[in-house]
Amino acid sequence: MTSDVDSEKPGERSSGIPGESSSGGPGEGPGAWDGERPGPGAGDAFEVFRDDWGIPHLRAADALALARAQGRVTVLDRAWQLETERHRVLGTSASHLGAEAVDWDRFVRRARIADTARRCYDRLAPETAAWVRAYVDGVNEGLAEGAAHAPEFAAVGLAPGRWEPWTPLGVWLSTHILFAGFPTKLWREEVARRLGADRTTLFATDGPGTAGSNGWLLTGARTATGAPIVAGDPHRFIEDPGVYQQIRLACPEFDVVGLAVPGIPGIAHFGHTGHVAWAITNAMADYQDLYREQLRRTPDGGVEALGPDGWYRAHTHTETIEVAGADPEPVEVIETDRGPVIIGSGPGDGGPAEGTRAGSGEPADGARPEPGEPARDAFISLRYPPRVTGELGFDVLPALLRARTVADLDTALDRWAEPVNVVLAADTAGSTLHRVAGHVPVRPYVNRLRVVPAEDPAYAWREGEAVPLPRTAVDGSDGIAVMANERGLAAPLGVEFAPPHRARRIRELLGEDTGWTPGAQADVHTDTRLASSRPLLSLLAWAPGLGPAADRLRDRLLRWDRHMDADSTDATLYARLRTDVVHRLAGHPALKGVTGADDPWRSAAYPALFRPWLAAVPRIGYALESLLSAGLLPYEDRLALVAASAEAVAAAADETPPGPWGELHRLSPWQALPDRTPDGPDGPDGFGGSDDSGADGVRPGLAGDHDCVLSTSSVPGVTDLFARGPAARYVWDLARREDSRWVVPFGASGVPGSAHHRDQTPLWARGALAPVVTDWNLLHRTTHRPEENPAVTTDEPVAPALRPAVHEQKVEGFGTVRLVPVVPAADAGLLHGWVTEERARFWGMGDHTREQVREIYAFVDALPTHHAYLALRDGVPAALFQTYEPDADPVGECYDVRPGDIGIHLLIAPAEGEGAVKGYTDALLTAFIGFVFGEPARLRVVVEPDARNEKALARMVRMGFELGPEIVKPEKTARLAFLTRAALGLA
């Protein structure tokens, strides 16, 4: 056994930052490049501009300098995200995130992701390798600075490391290794074994591990300008920070705007060069195989595998996963001729692998399970194209940037490998493209369906061969092309596809109109028609013997317009009915072999990482339309089941009437550091305000559902929250690129507290898009850190986490709260984002511009009697806290002010994380009261929440406040409340 170079000492970092010298370009002094210089030499010079949304627009002398600039600016904006991805590639996430990350670390080490990335990098064309290295140089140059402004590093005690030239290829691999959903084969294997081989594809539909998208192309015949439009939205698991980075890359060779993947140079999936624009969706192709291996231990501790030609020595070595707060975990990495063993590997420490006998020469128990018996301790290897061919398709990326026509793009895509995509493209001359790009190996069809035996040569890949990829013409009579993961162009390449509803609905919405504009595409992006509701509602229509309440429910749902709108209570009622039906199906004897105690999710045979693909209830929920249509149950049984659900849901609705769908259907993004979301403060105002949830900033309630064009995908039968949805939206206009549009779920910055960390969330949530700015004169040249608000520049903006605190207090179970003074110029963007949300309407600044917000807090800052502070929770802005002397404020005219009175206001920030934190507002108040009464002269705190806010009033009473009279102010009727030092035992 040997130690492999894939492992890394957590926390290692380079001893210095290369390229620190600077020399200005023509007409520029050295100071003009402060904070944005990539390295020595005039040829390395680049400029960074940002629009009003903080989106970076980069300009450099050549492509290498531009790649370096992209790496540097990306790490300044997203250091934590990039380092998270690097650790995910190496399998070292658990070193700082703890035991919850071990499953992923074990998988990527077993799958040899880092080693495969090295192989693929070594096969790059020299000019592509130099381009990737330039990007990595930029990342390494900016990593220390970016990490210094990202509070997550301090929160987990992590020091920034160093990127290797092959790291971007590893990021691409780790991001897409589960993209094709190979664990679904494990599910089919269990279904076939438990329910019978004829049921293998019973649940065939896109499941919880796949990613999908919408995309459409309108030819010039269908647009107002006569030039094509390409539009759509990728549906992926929504991550925070986002998986797509809006960016512009310009040099003498090209000028491209698009959605980059952080950690990857160039623009791979969605771009507009000014001459040609392209977009992709997941082709739903199957190109990864699982093989059941027979392994045995050798006397010297090695491992042999059985292949078509008999037993042979397999590669094996042991690695160690460091785990924060726990003991290290050894991982035995085994690779056969088919590929790395990802299921069933041994515990390490020189002991036998799982399922092997300690004696030499004996195959593992369970390697050949009897028919109908579980594959106990089975070994399964993964064969995936980049591991076999050493090709990822990265040589395509620079060619995409240089493309000027559809023909250029088409030629470049011939070399694409991973993942397999459907592509739509158009150019300014009106040419169009609709094709599949990627690498699909030639092998038997059964390989796509199930786990196949490794020793049988019939299941081998045909060496050096790939399946021919389909393409079709766009310029048909309707002038429309649509891609929505349906069983269409890519049908010969896969097994499971999305239902056709989204594709059909997009075509229906586009209709026969010939005057389409970029701005009108939002109507397509946000459509909420749920066609997949038809089978369930049809059964409900004929359900026999319903009682009065269930009959009323039936009438109501049959009158429903089938739109999953955020304000629709009918949509909520339908979701309740669907959930109940899913659970009744899960309890039906016909599915007993894969549900309840027999649910494959409970099996210890597979790593926990694959449980989302093996859980029966989500599978039933996603396949509900087909399960209710035919095959599983007789028609009468389906009617009876839906009738029983209607009775149950109707009874519950009488007790708890359904609320708006958007109150339940909220975003639940993935974060490497969860548990930073408040549990819904009752209002952003001085202890009150609106009734909206305080989690709206990161968990907005949205319309849509899994099969809507607005595909905000919850898991029917499990949760109404959604983790998958539009990870970006785009509209590429080939007539005028400046009329293009884009938006992402959060913002251009991954730095908590930045003005652009959350500023696009309101746009994204309501289906609006931001303009793509292409005029350099309308952009803001930046010379400092990315958290600088380009619309309100300052000489030296200082991030809130770096400012001296006026008060610091550790609140048990919550974290450290620090109060730092508001700096109006630097914080205007952040505060503007908070005070203009609907939930902050009682703050009275809902219609204010950023400049007006800056002016107001500059005025407050100038007053000796009023003060404004940002409250930081573990370095992340959590609230705006203001104090004032009542006798110098209008509130002082409404009651008898006593000596020692101090007034306070509190605005809770939008949520900054995924998990709910109980008592969030109370914890902040504990720190605020500690600050206020830290001054002995302060004898009584005065608050004035809205008189209608019963929750806030109840909280104040709970904390010891004494309620006073109501007062009438110009903006509201308030209720005074007082908290004395004596009430807290401080007198």
Side-chain angles (χ1 to χ4, degrees):
M1 305 291 182
T2 60
S3 177
D4 189 55
V5 293
D6 283 6
S7 61
E8 170 195 85
K9 294 179 181 177
E12 273 193 344
R13 54 180 294 181
S14 66
S15 58
I17 305 297
E20 286 299 322
S21 62
S22 63
S23 59
E28 302 292 345
W33 300 99
D34 180 27
E36 304 286 9
R37 288 285 303 167
D44 291 331
F46 64 85
E47 298 172 284
V48 178
F49 297 78
R50 294 182 186 266
D51 65 12
D52 287 346
W53 298 95
I55 296 167
H57 294 241
L58 312 181
R59 190 163 64 184
D62 56 49
L64 290 181
L66 188 60
R68 196 167 188 163
Q70 185 183 5
R72 182 176 175 85
V73 168
T74 300
V75 80
L76 290 177
D77 282 359
R78 298 164 178 259
W80 171 250
Q81 181 181 21
L82 262 61
E83 279 295 85
T84 295
E85 294 300 333
R86 185 179 68 86
H87 282 282
R88 283 173 64 81
V89 170
L90 295 171
T92 55
S93 299
S95 67
H96 56 280
L97 297 179
E100 290 186 358
V102 167
D103 291 332
W104 174 265
D105 285 355
R106 183 182 296 112
F107 166 67
V108 294
R109 289 170 182 259
R110 286 174 169 174
R112 309 206 71 188
I113 296 297
D115 185 70
T116 304
R118 293 188 191 97
R119 288 186 184 184
C120 293
Y121 177 81
D122 290 341
R123 290 180 61 91
L124 290 177
E127 59 273 18
T128 305
W131 179 70
V132 175
R133 281 198 307 273
Y135 181 91
V136 170
D137 287 345
V139 170
N140 285 327
E141 287 163 8
L143 184 53
E145 181 180 354
H149 299 287
E152 296 94 339
F153 286 89
V156 298
L158 179 67
R162 183 169 182 81
W163 281 46
E164 298 297 334
W166 50 266
T167 302
L169 286 79
V171 171
W172 190 260
L173 265 175
S174 69
T175 298
H176 294 101
I177 189 65
L178 298 175
F179 205 71
F182 70 79
T184 297
K185 296 179 183 182
L186 303 176
W187 165 256
R188 294 195 204 108
E189 194 75 10
E190 293 299 319
V191 171
R193 184 174 63 81
R194 297 159 184 252
L195 300 182
D198 60 328
R199 300 289 196 183
T200 299
T201 58
L202 177 65
F203 301 87
T205 185
D206 61 330
T210 62
S213 305
N214 297 319
W216 59 94
L217 186 156
L218 294 159
T219 67
R222 302 298 306 276
T223 68
T225 63
I229 291 174
V230 180
D233 51 351
H235 305 152
R236 304 180 71 138
F237 282 103
I238 306 251
E239 299 181 15
D240 179 19
V243 296
Y244 285 113
Q245 172 196 29
Q246 300 150 299
I247 200 166
R248 182 184 186 182
L249 304 174
C251 66
E253 292 182 79
F254 51 79
D255 183 344
V256 187
V257 298
L259 301 170
V261 175
I264 310 299
I267 295 169
H269 284 163
F270 310 94
H272 193 327
T273 72
H275 307 280
V276 60
W278 71 94
I280 63 95
T281 60
N282 183 0
M284 310 297 283
D286 185 278
Y287 50 90
Q288 302 165 328
D289 284 350
L290 296 178
Y291 288 87
R292 181 172 290 106
E293 301 277 359
Q294 293 191 66
L295 305 179
R296 67 186 183 188
R297 186 74 70 186
T298 61
D300 62 357
V303 171
E304 291 183 335
L306 181 62
D309 298 321
W311 292 95
Y312 65 94
R313 184 88 171 193
H315 168 89
T316 180
H317 69 267
T318 298
E319 301 180 13
T320 300
I321 300 174
E322 300 292 336
V323 185
D327 293 334
E329 294 202 15
V331 177
E332 186 176 26
V333 178
I334 302 171
E335 184 166 13
T336 73
D337 286 351
R338 266 70 56 193
V341 174
I342 61 169
I343 296 173
S345 61
D349 298 327
E354 282 180 24
T356 60
R357 297 194 180 108
S360 63
E362 297 185 64
D365 290 338
R368 282 186 178 274
E370 293 299 319
E373 291 298 319
R376 182 167 54 90
D377 295 331
F379 293 88
I380 296 176
S381 63
L382 171 66
R383 188 170 181 84
Y384 57 104
R387 187 70 186 160
V388 176
T389 66
E391 299 287 348
L392 257 184
F394 261 48
D395 286 318
V396 175
L397 297 180
L400 294 178
L401 299 176
R402 295 184 173 94
R404 299 179 70 85
T405 66
V406 158
D408 295 339
L409 197 79
D410 194 16
T411 300
L413 290 171
D414 285 341
R415 295 172 288 161
W416 188 251
E418 170 94 6
V420 180
N421 296 321
V422 177
V423 183
L424 285 175
D427 62 26
T428 53
S431 298
T432 57
L433 177 69
H434 190 186
R435 63 164 291 180
V436 177
H439 181 96
V440 179
V442 178
R443 79 279 201 215
Y445 181 79
V446 70
N447 288 39
R448 301 183 191 179
L449 290 174
R450 297 179 60 178
V451 182
V452 294
E455 71 276 10
D456 191 335
Y459 301 103
W461 290 10
R462 295 187 191 173
E463 186 174 354
E465 294 188 40
V467 176
L469 300 178
R471 62 173 61 230
T472 189
V474 177
D475 297 316
S477 58
D478 59 358
I480 297 172
V482 176
M483 51 182 184
N485 320 114
E486 76 283 12
R487 190 179 298 275
L489 185 65
L493 308 177
V495 176
E496 299 190 10
F497 295 83
H501 307 306
R502 285 186 284 118
R504 290 174 180 169
R505 181 61 175 167
I506 291 169
R507 285 188 170 277
E508 179 183 341
L509 291 167
L510 294 174
E512 299 180 359
D513 293 349
T514 57
W516 282 100
T517 64
Q521 304 308 305
D523 293 338
V524 183
H525 281 130
T526 57
D527 185 75
T528 61
R529 173 79 174 181
L530 186 67
S532 61
S533 62
R534 183 176 177 274
L536 175 52
L537 294 179
S538 295
L539 290 169
L540 179 63
W542 295 100
L546 296 184
D551 195 49
R552 289 193 299 271
L553 177 143
R554 170 166 58 189
D555 289 345
R556 179 174 173 180
L557 286 180
L558 293 182
R559 291 194 304 268
W560 173 47
D561 63 6
R562 303 189 187 183
H563 283 266
M564 300 295 285
D565 293 331
D567 60 356
S568 172
T569 56
D570 289 344
T572 302
L573 196 61
Y574 171 77
R576 287 184 181 180
L577 179 66
R578 179 176 61 185
T579 293
D580 194 89
V581 169
V582 167
H583 285 286
R584 289 179 189 275
L585 275 174
H588 196 280
L591 293 179
K592 185 179 184 305
V594 293
T595 58
D598 296 321
D599 193 327
W601 180 86
R602 302 176 184 275
S603 173
Y606 304 114
L609 183 71
F610 300 137
R611 284 181 178 171
W613 286 266
L614 293 166
V617 171
R619 287 286 176 183
I620 295 169
Y622 282 118
L624 184 63
E625 183 181 13
S626 60
L627 293 176
L628 291 180
S629 297
L632 178 65
L633 303 179
Y635 180 66
E636 292 75 14
D637 288 1
R638 284 177 267 153
L639 285 176
L641 187 146
V642 171
S645 289
E647 296 286 359
V649 172
D654 284 344
E655 295 185 9
T656 309
W661 176 234
E663 289 185 0
L664 302 175
H665 192 57
R666 293 186 174 275
L667 173 62
S668 181
W670 180 86
Q671 294 174 297
L673 282 182
D675 299 327
R676 290 177 175 266
T677 301
D679 59 343
D682 301 314
D685 168 292
F687 294 98
S690 77
D691 297 326
D692 298 335
S693 167
D696 283 356
V698 74
R699 283 192 174 189
L702 262 66
D705 198 38
H706 184 64
D707 289 322
C708 300
V709 177
L710 179 54
S711 185
T712 49
S713 183
S714 56
V715 185
V718 177
T719 178
D720 292 323
L721 298 175
F722 68 95
R724 281 196 298 160
R729 296 190 185 98
Y730 60 89
V731 179
W732 302 141
D733 186 10
L734 273 302
R736 285 166 43 89
R737 188 170 65 164
E738 58 267 36
D739 289 338
S740 299
R741 304 282 190 273
W742 53 8
V743 75
V744 293
F746 299 116
S749 174
V751 180
S754 164
H756 305 297
H757 190 211
R758 293 274 184 267
D759 58 342
Q760 293 187 52
T761 300
L763 282 181
W764 177 82
R766 67 174 184 265
L769 297 103
V772 173
V773 180
T774 58
D775 186 342
W776 296 98
N777 294 317
L778 299 179
L779 300 170
H780 311 276
R781 183 174 179 180
T782 62
T783 58
H784 296 283
R785 292 183 293 271
E787 65 267 22
E788 176 183 327
N789 175 15
V792 187
T793 58
T794 62
D795 290 336
E796 285 294 338
V798 178
L802 303 180
R803 298 174 196 163
V806 299
H807 179 73
E808 182 169 328
Q809 182 174 340
K810 184 172 183 179
V811 181
E812 190 66 32
F814 181 76
T816 300
V817 178
R818 299 175 69 244
L819 296 181
V820 301
V822 166
V823 178
D827 298 334
L830 173 66
L831 298 179
H832 178 264
W834 292 358
V835 302
T836 55
E837 286 196 340
E838 167 62 18
R839 61 187 292 278
R841 60 185 179 274
F842 291 122
W843 204 255
M845 298 186 189
D847 59 351
H848 283 40
T849 66
R850 289 181 183 176
E851 180 60 19
Q852 288 173 323
V853 171
R854 185 197 65 79
E855 290 176 352
I856 288 172
Y857 281 96
F859 174 74
V860 170
D861 191 46
L863 296 174
T865 55
H866 291 62
H867 303 282
Y869 306 96
L870 284 177
L872 311 180
R873 177 193 177 213
D874 293 334
V876 178
L880 172 63
F881 180 62
Q882 296 178 210
T883 64
Y884 63 91
E885 295 179 14
D887 57 3
D889 189 89
V891 75
E893 301 174 3
C894 301
Y895 83 103
D896 293 330
V897 179
R898 297 179 185 175
D901 278 359
I902 182 74
I904 63 174
H905 296 299
L906 172 63
L907 173 65
I908 299 292
E912 286 293 340
E914 180 177 336
V917 177
K918 197 69 175 174
Y920 190 92
T921 303
D922 288 356
L924 287 174
L925 284 173
T926 298
F928 298 153
I929 298 301
F931 166 62
V932 170
F933 284 138
E935 290 283 342
R938 292 172 177 168
L939 304 178
R940 188 170 66 157
V941 172
V942 181
V943 297
E944 39 162 322
D946 191 282
R948 296 168 295 178
N949 196 323
E950 296 178 357
K951 289 184 179 180
L953 294 171
R955 173 186 288 120
M956 288 183 286
V957 171
R958 187 170 68 247
M959 293 194 69
F961 279 82
E962 180 181 345
L963 298 182
E966 290 189 358
I967 59 174
V968 178
K969 300 182 67 179
E971 71 276 14
K972 65 181 179 181
T973 297
R975 182 76 179 268
L976 290 174
F978 305 94
L979 178 67
T980 64
R981 296 177 68 89
L984 297 177
L986 301 175

